[in-house]
Amino acid sequence: SIYAELFPYAYNYGLTFSAEYYFLELKRLTVFGGLGLGAAYNKYTFYYNVYLDEDKVWGVLVRPNMGGLLSLGKRGRWAARVSLCYDYATTRSDNFEYKNFTNLGIDAGIALVLR
């Protein structure tokens, strides 16, 4: 018998220019929504034991997001930032039968608020 181990991978890289609109300000919480547009580069790879087959493609990336800033003090310039984003990329691969690439992500971090 002949067999092979198959490991499929999709490596995704994106670069976007983004804009955000802050539409609701409460005491310490600011809610925002945004949109990012840019380019996506995907590398689809199938590993067959020590051999590989891959396809490298470029496409357009659209990334809407929504989140909030929570101020870390009464008049502090630092805030905790959390957002939920959805990526849609037109990185089509006919070799591996991918029509597009989508991704759901959560961003979390500390932000310096400049007003």
Side-chain angles (χ1 to χ4, degrees):
S1 76
I2 298 174
Y3 69 93
E5 298 170 338
L6 174 64
F7 297 99
Y9 286 89
Y11 301 96
N12 175 253
Y13 306 96
L15 178 66
T16 61
F17 294 100
S18 300
E20 294 174 347
Y21 178 72
Y22 298 86
F23 57 86
L24 177 63
E25 285 193 43
L26 302 173
K27 289 183 181 181
R28 293 178 55 197
L29 178 67
T30 304
V31 180
F32 65 87
L35 180 65
L37 297 172
Y41 173 75
N42 281 20
K43 184 170 79 169
Y44 302 106
T45 307
F46 280 173
Y47 294 100
Y48 307 96
N49 199 351
V50 296
Y51 305 103
L52 68 96
D53 187 17
E54 66 183 6
D55 193 10
K56 301 173 185 176
V57 293
W58 283 91
V60 175
L61 174 63
V62 178
R63 176 183 288 158
N65 69 339
M66 187 170 184
L69 292 169
L70 180 62
S71 178
L72 297 178
K74 285 187 179 181
R75 294 182 4 195
R77 302 182 91 182
W78 293 96
R81 183 184 193 279
V82 176
S83 71
L84 180 67
C85 62
Y86 175 79
D87 292 356
Y88 176 83
T90 62
T91 49
R92 179 185 184 99
S93 173
D94 292 329
N95 295 342
F96 295 105
E97 298 179 2
Y98 285 107
K99 295 180 182 173
N100 55 42
F101 190 84
T102 59
N103 185 34
L104 183 64
I106 297 174
D107 296 329
I110 303 293
L112 176 62
V113 180
L114 303 174
R115 296 179 194 213

